[in-house]
């Protein structure tokens, strides 16, 4: 094709993120899945990222059941791949609609010797293989900000490359900025303060070091985020807030007291956000302690 005859296109991909506590009792309560994911009936995500997908036992039956239930709910044909985390049997999983996306490669314990590259999947648009995205589904340490900082620094080293990157997972920490929910640590039991907090000369504050490593710190003087000091990622929740003229405080993502925004969808700057599509759904705390997030992203235009 000559340059004069070339054209560009932009690909929209609906996406969902949810942490299902203990995999809904290791798959014993998968009958709740359709109720939890009900908003996805209308959005029909091309990609679903799940934390705590404890569905390998027995004999892989829960993971197949989960894929079938979500396929029926969303009128899609999902395939599922379950990853691994070091500290416990609470692995992340990724589902993708095989009618829209093909799996190009994936990094899990069975396919990659590198521990730090795991829980990464590369997906290509079926009718346009050059349009691809790398999806990372992390689940960071819940108890230690220092461990989360190490995990963030490791993840940052894998963001570069030619493909757009989406990070979707429970990062167990918030970012800096007055527009995010924050905690009063005088109301937190002393033995739990370091789970999400950090002691400074000014007292206890939210530990934002890990998230700020990826998206950059907030500058209270200019009221902007220093993305240039991050790792090349931006937060879709914050971009949605910008699109809405910076109205209100960003929604928290769990049902706990003094809830923070700890479930994040991050992306490289070449990934776009369809205005008005980012949403945190309230859900029911009796089902799982985290809230469902849905959004529609756009992949960067490619010359044809």
């Amino acid at each position: 094709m000559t340059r004069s005859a070339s054209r560009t296109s932009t690909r929209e991909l609906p996406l969902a993120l949810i942490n299902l506590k203990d995999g809904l009792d290791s798959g014993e309560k998968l009958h709740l899945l359709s109720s939890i994911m009900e908003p996805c009936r209308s959005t029909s995500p091309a990609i679903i990222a799940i934390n705590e997908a404890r569905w390998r036992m027995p004999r892989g039956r829960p993971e197949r059941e989960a894929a079938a239930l979500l396929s029926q709910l969303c009128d899609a044909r999902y395939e599922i791949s379950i990853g691994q985390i070091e500290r416990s049997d609470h692995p992340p999983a990724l589902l993708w609609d095989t009618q829209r996306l093909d799996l190009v490669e994936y990094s899990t314990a069975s396919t990659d010797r590198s521990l730090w590259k795991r829980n990464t999947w590369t997906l290509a648009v079926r009718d346009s293989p050059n349009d691809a995205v790398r999806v990372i589904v992390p689940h960071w340490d819940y108890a230690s900000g220092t461990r989360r900082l190490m995990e963030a620094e490791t993840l940052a080293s894998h963001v570069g490359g030619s493909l757009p990157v989406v990070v979707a997972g429970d990062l167990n920490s918030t970012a800096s900025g007055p527009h995010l929910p924050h905690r009063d640590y005088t109301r937190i039991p002393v033995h739990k303060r370091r789970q999400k907090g950090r002691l400074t000369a000014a007292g206890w504050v939210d530990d934002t070091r890990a998230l700020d490593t990826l998206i950059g710190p907030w500058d209270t003087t200019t009221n902007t985020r220093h993305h240039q000091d991050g790792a090349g990622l931006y937060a879709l929740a914050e971009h949605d807030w910008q699109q809405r003229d910076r109205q209100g405080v960003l929604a928290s993502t769990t049902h706990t007291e003094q809830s923070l925004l700890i479930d994040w969808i991050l992306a490289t700057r070449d990934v776009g956000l369809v205005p008005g599509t980012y949403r945190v759904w309230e859900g029911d705390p009796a089902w799982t302690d985290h809230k469902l997030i849905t959004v529609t992203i756009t992949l960067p235009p490619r010359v044809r």
Side-chain angles (χ1 to χ4, degrees):
M1 180 180 289
T2 63
R3 181 174 295 274
S4 60
S6 68
R7 59 185 176 86
T8 62
S9 65
T10 300
R11 299 288 178 171
E12 292 189 358
L13 293 176
L15 186 150
L17 167 65
I18 184 70
N19 180 322
L20 298 170
K21 186 177 181 181
D22 293 328
L24 299 179
D25 199 10
S26 299
E28 293 293 325
K29 296 180 180 177
L30 277 176
H31 61 277
L32 296 174
L33 189 58
S34 294
S35 297
I36 295 169
M37 304 296 285
E38 174 61 29
C40 293
R41 186 187 298 275
S42 58
T43 63
S44 188
I47 300 169
I48 302 176
I50 295 177
N51 287 118
E52 302 196 21
R54 299 181 61 181
W55 296 336
R56 287 197 178 94
M57 302 289 185
R59 300 176 296 283
R61 289 179 62 184
E63 68 176 276
R64 305 315 309 167
E65 183 181 353
L69 286 169
L70 289 170
S71 295
Q72 182 177 22
L73 176 72
C74 302
D75 191 22
R77 190 174 297 165
Y78 290 117
E79 186 52 84
I80 184 171
S81 176
I82 296 181
Q84 182 183 37
I85 60 173
E86 247 191 326
R87 67 181 178 273
S88 66
D89 181 27
H90 291 81
L94 191 76
L95 294 97
W96 63 96
D97 183 5
T98 59
Q99 299 174 110
R100 287 175 278 181
L101 297 166
D102 287 323
L103 179 65
V104 176
E105 64 176 18
Y106 63 106
S107 175
T108 63
S110 61
T111 65
D112 197 331
R113 294 186 181 90
S114 173
L115 178 66
W116 307 121
K117 293 180 182 178
R118 291 177 186 171
N119 305 322
T120 300
W121 293 262
T122 300
L123 303 167
V125 177
R126 288 211 69 184
D127 61 355
S128 182
N130 288 330
D131 292 325
V133 60
R134 191 149 50 96
V135 183
I136 304 172
V137 187
H139 189 176
W140 287 354
D141 194 280
Y142 75 95
S144 170
T146 300
R147 286 182 181 272
R148 290 193 295 270
L149 178 58
M150 294 171 62
E151 290 176 300
E153 291 172 339
T154 301
L155 191 154
S157 67
H158 300 304
V159 170
S162 59
L163 289 178
V165 174
V166 171
V167 178
D170 179 356
L171 304 187
N172 266 313
S173 56
T174 190
S176 56
H179 54 297
L180 283 109
H182 293 287
R183 278 185 176 170
D184 175 0
Y185 284 88
T186 64
R187 295 168 52 195
I188 302 295
V190 293
H191 67 287
K192 291 186 175 182
R193 286 177 180 169
R194 292 189 184 275
Q195 288 185 4
K196 299 293 185 288
R198 183 166 67 96
L199 183 60
T200 69
W204 285 94
V205 297
D206 292 318
D207 190 343
T208 66
R209 294 174 298 167
L211 253 297
D212 289 352
T213 294
L214 299 182
I215 65 176
W218 187 263
D219 186 333
T220 55
T221 303
T222 61
N223 213 26
T224 57
R225 190 167 298 284
H226 283 190
H227 287 291
Q228 69 272 20
D229 295 323
L233 294 168
Y234 77 99
L236 270 62
E238 192 166 77
H239 191 42
D240 169 70
W241 176 73
Q242 299 274 9
Q243 290 177 341
R244 293 184 291 104
D245 298 323
R246 297 187 163 205
Q247 294 180 10
V249 175
L250 275 62
S252 64
T253 59
T254 72
H255 294 289
T256 55
E257 185 180 356
Q258 294 197 79
S259 176
L260 300 172
L261 198 173
I262 63 173
D263 301 272
W264 294 85
I265 302 174
L266 314 176
T268 45
R269 300 302 299 185
D270 50 358
V271 175
L273 168 64
V274 176
T277 63
Y278 179 89
R279 182 167 176 181
V280 178
W281 300 83
E282 277 303 311
D284 188 331
W287 296 335
T288 185
D289 56 349
H290 287 248
K291 301 174 184 179
L292 171 68
I293 302 172
T294 57
V295 70
T296 298
I297 62 171
T298 61
L299 298 185
R302 300 266 180 167
V303 175
R304 303 285 182 246

